[in-house]
Amino acid sequence: MNKILKKIFMMSKKNIKKDFLAYEKLLYIKFANPISEDEILKKSFEELGLKDDFSYKLAYFYNKHQTYVFLTKYENILDYNDYNTLIPEPLLFEAYFNQDIDKNLILIFKDKYIVLIEYLGQQFLNCKTLPINIYNINYEQKIKSDYRNIISINDVKNISSFKKIDSEKLYYDLLNSNTDFSINFASKEKKLFYKSLSFKIICSFVFGILLALIYPLYLHIHNLTIEKKIENYEKVLIEEKNTLEYSIQKQNIIDIQNKNKEKNQLLYEFYKNTLCYKDFYNFIKVLNVHKSTIESLYFKENIFNIELTRDYNFYNDFKKYGFILKNKEINNEKINLYFEKNI
């Protein structure tokens, strides 16, 4: 059908080239409430299970309560470089219905399934697929009671009892109407690398590596300072011990011993609260192995706290390095994990 339309549109050089992308070449998802472009990109690829966002072109539009997203592979639009109109098939009907408040339904019959497209007047609401073998009289009665207008497109096997329309002339008329369609895949905007999900993952990974390399170096230098202080404390203790050996008065000996105990406790507390650079390095190493994207990282004494937007299967690896999960909290779609490491 696409090829037939293409020949019609190309008959005259004066005609502006227009076409549509069939439903089977599209991916579709919608989200409650209007969301930002970054959220659209991230959530769409997560929900659809897509890894390579450089292979897909994404287009979206809003209404007051929803965000609608359509995606297609770039290979599907390579032949349309000189077209100025390329509309997703479900959105063609923005040019078909009147601006009223009736609930309308379009049934597009494919080989093995039916595409059900919902409209409220001229406003697109949703689309989904239904296996042809599920469509029966009971199902037809149900949708008949739910929608004011129902049309069947390309129902060549006469499965439904609704008004039947062949898509060839209808789609041609819809494309050549004066409708300003919500999405046009023929737009020539360039794909910006810095806006892609892959770029953000790479940045997170590189940041993790830099943090794993630079911060342990700082900790190493900090530990050298601590070791020096410990040596000085030990020298002081030795000197005071020698002083004690030469002390004559018993009370003076007891006082000095008490002071030594206090200093030993201070030394213990000082060392206990010192973060070992090797432990921090191992902690970052586990995050990098699992390519974990974290929102934040905090540590105090021997407790490590990270915040994530999704969970990872890295708990066994943390155990290998002596990090024990002490607590897990989920708030506002954020996951907080608390690991304990004995210094």
Side-chain angles (χ1 to χ4, degrees), residues 12-26:
S12 172
K13 293 184 179 180
K14 294 182 180 180
N15 285 344
I16 297 174
K17 293 183 178 180
K18 301 180 178 181
D19 209 336
F20 69 95
L21 278 178
Y23 183 84
E24 50 267 32
K25 293 183 179 181
L26 299 166

Side-chain angles (χ1 to χ4, degrees), residues 9 18 42 49 108 153 236 273 287 309:
F9 299 148
K18 301 180 178 181
K42 181 179 179 181
I108 303 179
I153 307 295
V236 170
N273 294 330
L287 292 176
T309 55

Side-chain angles (χ1 to χ4, degrees), residues 110-111 132 154-160 164:
K110 304 290 184 177
D111 291 337
I132 286 183
N154 294 336
D155 184 9
V156 295
K157 296 181 180 179
N158 201 28
I159 295 174
S160 80
K164 296 175 176 58

Side-chain angles (χ1 to χ4, degrees), residues 81-102:
N81 288 333
D82 56 346
Y83 279 64
N84 79 318
T85 302
L86 186 59
I87 308 302
E89 186 177 11
L91 298 183
L92 286 173
F93 301 92
E94 292 178 339
Y96 182 83
F97 294 108
N98 296 321
Q99 290 181 344
D100 53 34
I101 58 173
D102 290 337

Side-chain angles (χ1 to χ4, degrees), residues 114-305:
I114 307 170
V115 185
L116 286 75
I117 307 171
E118 297 178 277
Y119 273 79
L120 181 63
Q122 289 182 313
Q123 179 181 317
F124 173 83
L125 293 181
N126 195 21
C127 64
K128 60 184 179 181
T129 58
L130 176 76
I132 286 183
N133 58 6
I134 294 180
Y135 190 92
N136 54 31
I137 295 176
N138 292 333
Y139 190 85
E140 184 166 288
Q141 289 300 319
K142 180 182 181 304
I143 60 176
K144 187 182 294 185
S145 63
D146 291 339
Y147 299 94
R148 175 72 178 273
N149 300 307
I150 303 176
I151 61 173
S152 298
I153 307 295
N154 294 336
D155 184 9
V156 295
K157 296 181 180 179
N158 201 28
I159 295 174
S160 80
S161 63
F162 302 114
K163 179 181 179 181
K164 296 175 176 58
I165 304 177
D166 182 71
S167 63
E168 186 171 323
K169 184 178 185 306
L170 173 64
Y171 285 9
Y172 177 82
D173 292 339
L174 297 179
L175 283 168
N176 285 277
S177 67
N178 294 323
T179 303
D180 185 13
F181 293 101
S182 300
I183 287 178
N184 183 1
F185 273 113
S187 60
K188 299 299 191 296
E189 78 278 3
K190 295 181 179 179
K191 181 172 179 63
L192 301 178
F193 176 70
Y194 68 85
K195 284 189 174 182
S196 70
L197 189 61
S198 298
F199 175 74
K200 294 174 182 178
I201 293 174
I202 291 171
C203 285
S204 177
F205 181 70
V206 171
F207 174 76
I209 292 176
L210 291 176
L211 187 62
L213 294 176
I214 296 174
Y215 199 73
L217 179 61
Y218 161 76
L219 292 176
H220 177 67
I221 296 172
H222 185 60
N223 269 6
L224 290 178
T225 304
I226 293 171
E227 290 173 2
K228 185 67 176 176
K229 290 181 179 180
I230 291 173
E231 289 178 2
N232 291 336
Y233 271 119
E234 290 174 345
K235 289 180 180 179
V236 170
L237 290 174
I238 293 173
E239 291 174 359
E240 292 185 352
K241 181 181 178 182
N242 292 334
T243 302
L244 285 173
E245 291 177 355
Y246 293 100
S247 178
I248 299 174
Q249 297 181 0
K250 185 177 180 179
Q251 188 60 45
N252 289 339
I253 292 174
I254 295 174
D255 291 340
I256 293 174
Q257 286 177 337
N258 289 335
K259 289 181 180 179
N260 283 338
K261 288 181 181 179
E262 291 178 0
K263 290 180 178 179
N264 283 334
Q265 183 63 29
L266 288 173
L267 179 62
Y268 170 77
E269 292 296 331
F270 184 80
Y271 185 79
K272 183 183 71 172
N273 294 330
T274 301
L275 177 65
C276 176
Y277 76 94
K278 183 178 180 182
D279 292 335
F280 188 84
Y281 177 82
N282 289 335
F283 192 88
I284 295 298
K285 180 179 178 180
V286 174
L287 292 176
N288 286 336
V289 166
H290 290 269
K291 298 181 180 178
S292 307
T293 302
I294 65 174
E295 296 289 313
S296 62
L297 184 153
Y298 305 93
F299 56 84
K300 183 176 182 182
E301 299 182 358
N302 59 337
I303 298 296
F304 291 70
N305 167 222

Side-chain angles (χ1 to χ4, degrees), residues 30-41:
K30 73 173 181 177
F31 301 101
N33 303 318
I35 58 178
S36 68
E37 183 174 334
D38 285 344
E39 287 182 294
I40 291 172
L41 184 68

